[in-house]
Amino acid sequence: MRPAPDELRILSTTAILGYGFPESSFAAGLARDPHVIAVDAGSSDPGPYYLGAGVPFTDRAAVKRDLRLMLIAGRARSIPVIVGTAGGCGARPHLDWTLAIVREIAAEEGLAFRLAAIPADIDREALLAAQARGALVPLPPGPEASAEDVRASTHLVAQMGPEPLMAALAQGADVIVAGRAYDPAVFAALPLMQGFDAGLAVHLGKILECAAIAAVPGSGGDCMLGTLRRDHFLVEPMAPERRCTVVSVAAHTLYEKSDPYRLPGPGGVLDLTATTFVQEDERTVRVAGSRMIRGAYTLKIEGAALAGFRTVSIAGVRDPSFIAQIDAILDAVRARVADNFSRTLSADDYRLLFRQYGRDGVMGAHEPLRDNATPHEIGLVIEAVAASQEIADTIVSFARASLLHWGYPGRVSTAGNLALPYSPSDMQAGEVFRFSVYHLLTGIDDPCALFPVRIEEIGAPATVGAAS
């Protein structure tokens, strides 16, 4: 048995598979002789639609471009290529979509390898049983889990830790495509197999999952190399115009964290109270002192359910009198819509929203500058979400027409209050989903039990199946 190395190099290609990376940066990373090429392929940041609809939020051609370079390089060097949260959300349709691209590239390039697919879908009935016994608990400040929300979810996934990926590597997988995965897991799996410190491995994975975003200038479409040693790790961007600094790496460590010192994850908490950041050289930062505190194993569960259908209309407003009275005008239009359809629609049948870009379109009522000055123009998005596309169309159409010709004190032009850049002015945005399950599943005895590893021989005369 070969002794574990004292140094392990991990090449992270991009923040999300399909976001791209310069081939020059990738070549620079390969020149450092990495032991594994890994990438996180997804996120819940784009919202619940993609999980609920079972479609990717990344472009197929862009994902294929990235994967082609990674697979060719991995096979040429006989090192693993690992992809986590396939297809953006990691449910079965996303996993199958990514696997089809992998097989397509292998056929086009004449590649042969052992492919591991790890689905992350959770059985609905099993999750309902867990909810009934109190094992599906809220992620604060979220609500209690309900059986109705579980049943309404079109797709339900669990965020796997590194253990199923380690199981795939133990079965000799050359390429691993995983469903929904804890972001650092694809980077921590090989180091944990090699006996490296769990705190350092997970912390390094936390940084590498966003690739060069932790550099200056940051980029979500560039490569980062992590060098893990027994008592520290180094992070360095592969593009010569970027550099890691103590501030950029420490700041990224705080990214997506509610507590600056503790990062909960599957099987424990990453404790950063003793972590140190030191500038190793002009472009590299050394990190040490991170440790893993083991605890009860839990899995984050994500589900999305249909919430209705959306129609939108976009308009510009430039009349200073209109802008000065806009809150009162919009309130009046809301009341007009409600009154007009009071015999056929209740308040539960639709939601009418107005987003005022240039005033408070991003932060809404929380915008601290919303009343400091009157903007010279406002971009207005009129939106309705309703039980059917037809109702959403009706609400937006009536609201837009009412607003277009609404009378108000100081009005100069009677031809119309809105500048409409598109014809047709109203656009159907289709299905709207909500996160119906965003909870922790407790009582996990075996981190691999819910994530079967399926092995396929690519480029071989026959395929074989296996499960762990």
Side-chain angles (χ1 to χ4, degrees):
M1 183 175 179
R2 284 169 39 178
D6 290 328
E7 178 177 294
L8 198 151
R9 294 173 298 281
I10 305 167
L11 180 57
S12 172
T13 53
T14 184
I16 290 181
L17 185 67
Y19 280 17
F21 49 86
E23 290 192 39
S24 57
S25 297
F26 188 53
L30 295 176
R32 302 287 288 273
D33 196 20
H35 296 89
V36 60
I37 301 171
V39 67
D40 176 30
S43 172
S44 60
D45 291 353
Y49 171 81
Y50 302 95
L51 176 61
V55 297
F57 63 78
T58 44
D59 176 76
R60 192 182 195 277
V63 168
K64 186 175 180 180
R65 179 266 184 190
D66 291 358
L67 270 177
R68 187 188 301 276
L69 292 170
M70 294 168 62
L71 292 173
I72 291 173
R75 290 298 75 229
R77 291 158 179 78
S78 297
I79 58 174
V81 174
I82 307 177
V83 177
T85 309
C89 302
R92 191 75 214 202
H94 308 94
L95 180 65
D96 289 344
W97 180 82
T98 308
L99 290 170
I101 297 174
V102 169
R103 296 187 188 104
E104 193 175 289
I105 294 168
E108 292 170 355
E109 299 292 340
L111 302 177
F113 49 84
R114 193 168 174 83
L115 171 65
I118 312 177
D121 304 83
I122 298 300
D123 179 75
R124 191 182 312 276
E125 294 305 316
L127 199 60
L128 283 168
Q131 185 272 333
R133 66 175 182 268
L136 193 59
V137 301
L139 275 169
E144 294 288 335
S146 74
E148 291 74 17
D149 282 337
V150 173
R151 292 192 186 96
S153 301
T154 55
H155 297 287
L156 292 159
V157 293
Q159 200 177 78
M160 72 182 76
E163 292 83 1
L165 302 161
M166 295 163 66
L169 290 170
Q171 294 183 47
D174 302 304
V175 177
I176 302 173
V177 180
R180 187 66 170 117
Y182 179 50
D183 291 351
V186 295
F187 307 97
L190 184 60
L192 292 174
M193 281 191 72
Q194 298 285 359
F196 283 85
D197 179 81
L200 292 174
V202 171
H203 189 182
L204 176 58
K206 166 68 179 166
I207 295 170
L208 291 181
E209 58 106 348
C210 283
I213 286 179
V216 178
S219 171
D222 211 338
C223 304
M224 183 84 88
L225 184 75
T227 301
L228 180 60
R229 295 172 181 157
R230 293 297 168 179
D231 62 353
H232 70 274
F233 64 81
L234 306 172
V235 284
E236 176 188 356
M238 292 294 94
E241 67 271 21
R242 307 187 196 283
R243 59 193 179 94
C244 280
T245 70
V246 166
V247 171
S248 70
V249 175
H252 190 74
T253 296
L254 300 176
Y255 179 61
E256 295 179 331
K257 290 172 76 273
S258 58
D259 185 320
Y261 296 111
R262 294 166 59 84
L263 178 64
V269 175
L270 181 62
D271 182 3
L272 303 172
T273 53
T275 301
T276 59
F277 302 87
V278 177
Q279 198 72 45
E280 181 80 357
D281 60 36
E282 186 180 358
R283 302 179 63 254
T284 307
V285 169
R286 172 192 291 246
V287 182
S290 309
R291 65 190 188 103
M292 180 63 68
I293 302 175
R294 294 297 182 185
Y297 208 100
T298 60
L299 294 171
K300 181 187 173 193
I301 309 296
E302 296 168 355
L306 186 67
F309 297 82
R310 176 181 284 125
T311 302
V312 298
S313 186
I314 300 172
V317 178
R318 203 178 185 281
D319 180 0
S321 296
F322 185 107
I323 292 173
Q325 304 170 68
I326 193 166
D327 287 337
I329 292 171
L330 296 181
D331 285 344
V333 169
R334 288 188 187 94
R336 178 75 182 95
V337 171
D339 176 70
N340 197 76
F341 298 102
S342 60
R343 290 181 178 271
T344 56
L345 297 175
S346 72
D348 294 331
D349 290 325
Y350 70 90
R351 287 185 296 133
L352 175 61
L353 306 172
F354 297 100
R355 305 186 191 276
Q356 304 176 51
Y357 288 95
R359 185 195 184 205
D360 59 7
V362 175
M363 296 182 66
H366 299 289
E367 173 56 64
L369 303 179
R370 71 191 309 263
D371 297 319
N372 281 15
T374 301
H376 77 277
E377 68 178 11
I378 287 177
L380 191 64
V381 178
I382 308 166
E383 171 188 351
V385 176
S388 71
Q389 191 70 68
E390 291 75 17
I391 294 174
D393 290 348
T394 296
I395 296 300
V396 163
S397 176
F398 191 83
R400 171 193 34 80
S402 299
L403 192 58
L404 180 65
H405 297 292
W406 196 264
Y408 56 89
R411 186 182 186 204
V412 175
S413 171
T414 59
N417 304 320
L418 307 177
L420 298 165
Y422 302 113
S423 178
S425 57
D426 305 345
M427 294 165 276
Q428 294 181 348
E431 294 177 319
V432 178
F433 288 85
R434 63 183 175 88
F435 278 121
S436 46
V437 180
Y438 212 79
H439 294 73
L440 288 179
L441 181 62
T442 62
I444 303 298
D445 297 322
D446 180 356
C448 294
L450 297 176
F451 309 102
V453 178
R454 308 192 186 284
I455 299 293
E456 178 182 353
E457 299 293 343
I458 299 293
T463 59
V464 297
S468 65

